[in-house]
Amino acid sequence: MWFTDPAYGITQPREGHPGEREYGDHWVFRCGPDGADLRPVATDLDEPNGLAFDPTEQVLYVASSSGDDPVIRAYDRRGDRGDLLKNGRVFARLEPGEGAPDGIRVDVHGNVWSSSHRGVVVFDPDGTRLGEIAVPEVTANLCFGGDDGRTLFLAATTSIYRIATTTRDAAAE
């Protein structure tokens, strides 16, 4: 299991309950299937948030929602059990006015779909922007679903949107 630990629910009352951060930072964690061996695997992001693997599960993408440098970073999965991350790098940046990436998903072609303040931005596996889908609200999270897995669902400020696509989530294959 892989997860991020942003402090939004602690530091932003409208998103949770104010409190104290337990370790004073924000990291990407991994633990084994039985919940054991919990440990940080990426500590070089300011505000790690959404994450998704490429179709081969050898590259992990992490949305860094920092107001100072909102980017999507990529890491190569290494180690005997594939439980280490190496070669952290900037994969893509949202343009000014698009806000920060939050939720991200990867499709079967390796394209990365990211939420933004204007909707959804799609990048190819090399980080080149393919295009965007405009939504009239800030979009936070997204996922593929529906009967055939080709519907993109978006959680926005006050609404849930669904958009038909011609692709599927890489995790569905």
Side-chain angles (χ1 to χ4, degrees), residues 45-120:
L45 297 105
D46 290 330
E47 298 283 344
N49 206 341
L51 50 79
F53 281 101
D54 80 328
T56 67
E57 295 190 357
Q58 296 305 302
V59 177
L60 177 67
Y61 297 101
V62 182
S64 181
S65 301
S66 168
D68 296 334
D69 190 24
V71 299
I72 299 172
R73 292 184 56 82
Y75 296 86
D76 297 323
R77 195 169 171 193
R78 298 281 192 262
D80 295 338
R81 299 177 297 172
D83 58 349
L84 300 174
L85 297 179
K86 298 283 186 179
N87 192 28
R89 61 209 176 268
V90 172
F91 168 75
R93 277 193 165 79
L94 297 187
E95 293 176 354
E98 287 181 325
D102 187 345
I104 57 174
R105 297 304 307 151
V106 179
D107 69 22
V108 294
H109 306 291
N111 299 318
V112 177
W113 298 62
S114 174
S115 63
S116 79
H117 285 191
R118 298 192 310 222
V120 178

Side-chain angles (χ1 to χ4, degrees), residues 151-154 160-164:
T151 303
L152 184 66
F153 290 92
L154 311 174
I160 302 293
Y161 294 86
R162 69 174 185 217
I163 300 167

